[in-house]
Amino acid sequence: MVESLLDRTPLNNGYTIPGIGLGTSGMMGIEAEDAVFYAITNGYRLIDTASFYDNEEDVGKGINRAINAGISRDEMFVTTKIWKTDMGFDNAIQSFDQSLNRLNQQYVDLLLIHWPDKDDAVNLDTWRALESIYESGRARSIGVCNFNHKNLATLLEEVKVRPAINQFEMYPGHSGQDTNDYCNSENIVSMAYSPIKKGNISKENRTMTLAKKHNKTPEQIALRWAVQRGTIPIPKSSHKERIKENGDIFDFFLDNEDMDFLNDLDMKQGKKQRLRDNIPGTLERKNRRKFNG
């Protein structure tokens, strides 16, 4: 488990990824540039963007400002994605070329398929493009977004290069445990977008209870929960105070009772998954009460 903003998690291809990052969806212009620059110069090393966000140029400016300020590009981890309308081999290659140009970078650290197509053949054709880009060295790792267990299983039957990452929505109460368990079984790292429930995690009483216990914010509780599950959260914010606050989650620990308390949110909201099994940091008890879904 990572213990600081600079700690890294190993990927299945020999590279490593920082344990928490900055999401940039919805940011534009100088707002995006400044947020990226501030995050990197205050310890963040993972920056997530996408062609669909229409901010790659701005994100790239923030990255290059940080490089000019003395942060090595080799320390950074930059992610972008292929959008739905750019699926297929040729389209994906062209889309990536444009993304790299907008970012003004020689390579990205991670390239993802943003959403699975309903046609498995299209997903595979797009994946072949990502494999080609990976083999060229212009993307050091490749992966997917929003792929469920079935999407991944189908893709894995045909790949030459295995996905290193699956990025999907994840926060307390919406854990994606089935997908996360499958990723773990296939040595694919799970990355959590919207890890603070689009800013609404403070409305959940359980996170507020633990926030008071640990003298932290509900957002910090949710991010710490994600880290202790072995997943990589990428909270989005352009506010300097919130960016700093989101990274300040390494001076406390959620114990087994705390983790169970948050894991049970899925049950509370009517999910049928059993969350207490196979989650790092969760205490196995002999006398657990039964859940019937």
Side-chain angles (χ1 to χ4, degrees), residues 2 8 23-24 32 40 59 63 72 78 100 118 120 122 162 173 202 208 212 263 265 273 279:
V2 296
R8 291 184 172 242
T24 64
I40 295 173
V59 168
I63 292 168
S72 171
V78 181
L100 206 59
K118 61 183 179 180
D120 292 334
V122 173
R162 294 174 67 79
S202 60
M208 183 61 73
K212 292 177 180 178
N263 295 336
L265 279 170
Q273 300 168 353
I279 299 175

Side-chain angles (χ1 to χ4, degrees), residues 6 41 51 53 62 76 78 100 102 109 114-115 120 132 177 193 217 223-224 235 254 261 274-276:
L6 296 178
T41 53
S51 61
Y53 300 164
M76 301 179 198
V78 181
L100 206 59
R102 286 189 293 264
D109 298 274
H114 208 147
W115 283 91
D120 292 334
S132 175
Q177 190 60 39
Y193 72 78
T217 66
L223 294 172
R224 183 69 198 185
L254 298 175
F261 194 57
R274 176 86 179 181
L275 292 183
R276 295 185 176 187

Side-chain angles (χ1 to χ4, degrees), residues 155-224:
L155 186 68
L156 287 173
E157 291 177 359
E158 302 291 342
V159 301
K160 291 187 253 182
V161 179
R162 294 174 67 79
I165 294 278
N166 183 19
Q167 184 186 121
F168 53 98
E169 188 174 22
M170 187 192 313
Y171 52 82
H174 185 78
S175 70
Q177 190 60 39
D178 179 66
T179 301
N180 189 44
D181 284 345
Y182 183 74
C183 288
N184 286 340
S185 72
E186 295 292 340
N187 196 22
I188 297 169
V189 171
S190 294
M191 182 184 288
Y193 72 78
S194 299
I196 55 176
K197 200 178 179 180
K198 297 180 174 68
N200 292 313
I201 201 68
S202 60
K203 298 177 182 178
E204 173 50 58
N205 289 334
R206 293 199 181 203
T207 56
M208 183 61 73
T209 297
L210 291 182
K212 292 177 180 178
K213 173 182 174 179
H214 292 281
N215 195 28
K216 290 289 184 177
T217 66
E219 292 80 6
Q220 288 171 320
I221 295 296
L223 294 172
R224 183 69 198 185

Side-chain angles (χ1 to χ4, degrees), residues 90-138:
D90 291 337
N91 287 342
I93 295 288
Q94 182 178 7
S95 173
F96 175 72
D97 288 343
Q98 293 169 349
S99 288
L100 206 59
N101 183 62
R102 286 189 293 264
L103 285 164
N104 193 20
Q105 300 295 309
Q106 294 183 337
Y107 67 93
V108 297
D109 298 274
L110 179 64
L111 177 63
L112 305 173
I113 297 176
H114 208 147
W115 283 91
D117 194 88
K118 61 183 179 180
D119 187 339
D120 292 334
V122 173
N123 291 329
L124 181 58
D125 199 33
T126 308
W127 187 255
R128 294 295 185 223
L130 267 64
E131 289 178 329
S132 175
I133 293 166
Y134 174 75
E135 289 166 1
S136 75
R138 295 189 300 152

